[in-house]
Amino acid sequence: MKMIKNTLFTKTPVSIGPQSGYDNYIMAIESSCDETACSIVKNGREVISNVVASQIKTHEKYGGVIPEIAAREHLESINVVIDQAFKQAGMTPEQITAFAGTVGPGLVGCLLVGLNAAKTLALVHDKPFIGVNHLNAHLCANYIDTDLKPPYIALLVSGGHTQIIDVKSYSEQEIIGETIDDAVGEAYDKVARLIGLPYPGGPILDKLAKEGNPHAFKLPEAKVEGYNFSFSGLKTAVLRLVKSFEGKELPVNDICASFQECVSSTLFKKVKKALEQSGYKQVVIAGGVAANSEIRRKIFSLENEGYSVNAPAMKYCTDNAAMVASCAYFNTNTFDDVDVEVFSRA
Ligand code: KG4
Ligand code: ZN
């Protein structure tokens, strides 16, 4: 439980979290990249409303997210998503226990829009403000609609991050491994671009991989120490493979399947090793790439070995605000200061 007294007029601190002794309704805002999202979550696990305005259509034509354009679109959508989140829940600001917003990591201009909206709501309605780390929020997506409790091993795979985390308690996490170059999502998007697929390439590559032979091409698995990863060599290998087909028809599905096999088996091996060393019996996956069918299949196969496996519902894997609200509730390691500044890197 945390006691927050950053409200404007109220002198007594407000208690937030599982031990607060009453129902917490947290409204959160997420705007770190190309989704403007607002959600109200009861006691960290029950989603009362969840609104996401995606900008994928806008950025598709550029083949990636353009920060300036993304920030402008957040400005246009922010009031609409907040309004819809209240309407969907049938709630008023007075009924909200605290307002939360993503502080970072993310695109600074984008973060500013959502964070300032969350701070303003808190100040105007005299409620506590809670600033949340986006990566912690991705992990907390696993608490939605479940009764998951730490400790567990988490595989966090998103557009910007690839980490294996030892989650010791709701607030105590140790990153035991991470990528030394490209993130998994970044590798998916880059390889997708190499073979001519539109942005964001991850979901399309995943779909095409199902039609291909995962053993058609032997792609190199990087040998990196401990729980760390490297995906840039794999990306170069795909580039060479694509070039070798110049003038011939590219076996797109087989390349997708072979790439997906290489990535998912690397992730699987390291997660399994982390589980064995930690002695934990629970594992979760989180982040946008946790929506990947083959990564999910491999990690869920650990159930056959006696592990309990959890992955968020698809809509809570990619960026959303419900996970931010859940993090504001469970994690005491938050930025509970209305003066907190946005940050771009973890
Ligand atoms: O977590 P997220 O929504 O945003 C970040 O915080 O980065 O993750 C977005 C990433 C993109 O790189 C996208 O291509 C990837 O997640 N992604 C996938 C799949 N769905 C989304 N990658 C592989 N397979 C998928 N099914
Ligand atoms: Zn994210």
Side-chain angles (χ1 to χ4, degrees), residues 220-294:
E221 222 176 276
K223 300 267 175 293
V224 190
E225 236 179 88
Y227 300 112
N228 287 342
F229 302 99
S230 163
F231 294 107
S232 72
L234 173 60
K235 185 187 58 194
T236 313
V238 175
L239 176 67
R240 250 188 257 122
L241 183 62
V242 170
K243 280 200 173 140
S244 75
F245 280 95
E246 231 161 39
K248 287 178 254 167
E249 196 188 335
L250 197 63
V252 171
N253 295 354
D254 284 349
I255 294 178
C256 290
S258 303
F259 169 77
Q260 181 138 301
E261 176 58 26
C262 185
V263 171
S264 57
S265 65
T266 306
L267 294 172
F268 175 77
K269 281 182 214 158
K270 299 235 168 170
V271 166
K272 192 168 172 196
K273 197 166 128 203
L275 275 170
E276 285 164 357
Q277 288 217 334
S278 69
Y280 297 164
K281 284 288 163 210
Q282 302 188 105
V283 57
V284 313
I285 51 176
V289 189
N292 183 268
S293 62
E294 186 55 23

Side-chain angles (χ1 to χ4, degrees), residues 134 138 158 319 323:
H134 183 78
H138 269 301
S158 75
D319 287 350
M323 66 184 194

Side-chain angles (χ1 to χ4, degrees), residues 14-338:
V14 180
S15 61
I16 305 283
Q19 277 91 41
S20 61
Y22 58 90
D23 285 338
N24 286 202
Y25 291 88
I26 298 182
M27 173 178 260
I29 295 173
E30 154 65 37
S31 68
S32 64
C33 189
D34 57 348
E35 265 97 20
T36 325
C38 185
S39 178
I40 300 173
V41 176
K42 180 181 175 184
N43 298 335
R45 298 195 192 261
E46 190 185 331
V47 178
I48 309 294
S49 66
N50 184 46
V51 182
V52 182
S54 169
Q55 303 180 1
I56 284 182
K57 284 260 161 306
T58 306
H59 302 292
E60 221 170 30
K61 51 182 174 285
Y62 304 105
V65 177
I66 311 289
E68 286 287 312
I69 297 175
R72 239 178 290 145
E73 278 213 17
H74 283 304
L75 263 181
E76 279 167 27
S77 308
I78 191 78
N79 287 337
V80 181
V81 299
I82 293 169
D83 225 40
Q84 280 182 1
F86 277 125
K87 284 211 180 92
Q88 232 183 51
M91 292 179 79
T92 59
E94 290 67 41
Q95 294 170 290
I96 300 296
T97 316
F99 290 93
T102 306
V103 178
L107 300 169
V108 166
C110 296
L111 287 161
L112 274 172
V113 177
L115 190 67
N116 281 327
K119 287 178 179 177
T120 308
L121 281 164
L123 290 174
V124 167
H125 300 291
D126 194 28
K127 305 281 183 177
F129 161 78
I130 303 168
V132 169
N133 178 302
H134 183 78
L135 301 179
N136 290 346
H138 269 301
L139 290 186
C140 292
N142 280 286
Y143 298 132
I144 297 169
D145 296 334
T146 68
D147 52 13
L148 173 75
K149 292 180 185 68
Y152 52 84
I153 291 294
L155 172 67
L156 175 63
V157 274
S158 75
H161 297 86
T162 304
Q163 298 178 337
I164 296 185
I165 305 163
D166 175 352
V167 182
K168 300 170 204 280
S169 71
Y170 286 113
S171 305
E172 205 188 338
Q173 294 144 7
E174 189 191 342
I175 299 166
I176 57 172
E178 58 193 328
T179 180
I180 56 168
D181 41 55
D182 290 353
V184 179
E186 197 179 351
Y188 262 91
D189 294 338
K190 284 180 180 170
V191 164
R193 198 175 328 159
L194 275 179
I195 53 180
L197 305 177
Y199 174 86
I204 305 160
L205 203 157
D206 185 10
K207 205 166 140 219
L208 297 179
K210 288 183 194 143
E211 310 296 320
N213 172 7
H215 306 291
F217 303 105
K218 180 95 191 90
L219 292 166
E221 222 176 276
K223 300 267 175 293
V224 190
E225 236 179 88
Y227 300 112
N228 287 342
F229 302 99
S230 163
F231 294 107
S232 72
L234 173 60
K235 185 187 58 194
T236 313
V238 175
L239 176 67
R240 250 188 257 122
L241 183 62
V242 170
K243 280 200 173 140
S244 75
F245 280 95
E246 231 161 39
K248 287 178 254 167
E249 196 188 335
L250 197 63
V252 171
N253 295 354
D254 284 349
I255 294 178
C256 290
S258 303
F259 169 77
Q260 181 138 301
E261 176 58 26
C262 185
V263 171
S264 57
S265 65
T266 306
L267 294 172
F268 175 77
K269 281 182 214 158
K270 299 235 168 170
V271 166
K272 192 168 172 196
K273 197 166 128 203
L275 275 170
E276 285 164 357
Q277 288 217 334
S278 69
Y280 297 164
K281 284 288 163 210
Q282 302 188 105
V283 57
V284 313
I285 51 176
V289 189
N292 183 268
S293 62
E294 186 55 23
I295 296 172
R296 282 176 101 94
R297 195 189 65 74
K298 283 199 170 69
I299 301 290
F300 270 97
S301 76
L302 288 164
E303 283 181 336
N304 303 330
E305 298 181 37
Y307 294 103
S308 151
V309 184
N310 195 74
M314 293 295 188
K315 62 181 169 187
Y316 301 128
C317 282
T318 43
D319 287 350
N320 66 88
M323 66 184 194
V324 179
S326 181
C327 189
Y329 177 79
F330 282 114
N331 200 321
T332 50
N333 231 342
T334 44
F335 308 89
D336 306 329
D337 180 352
V338 275

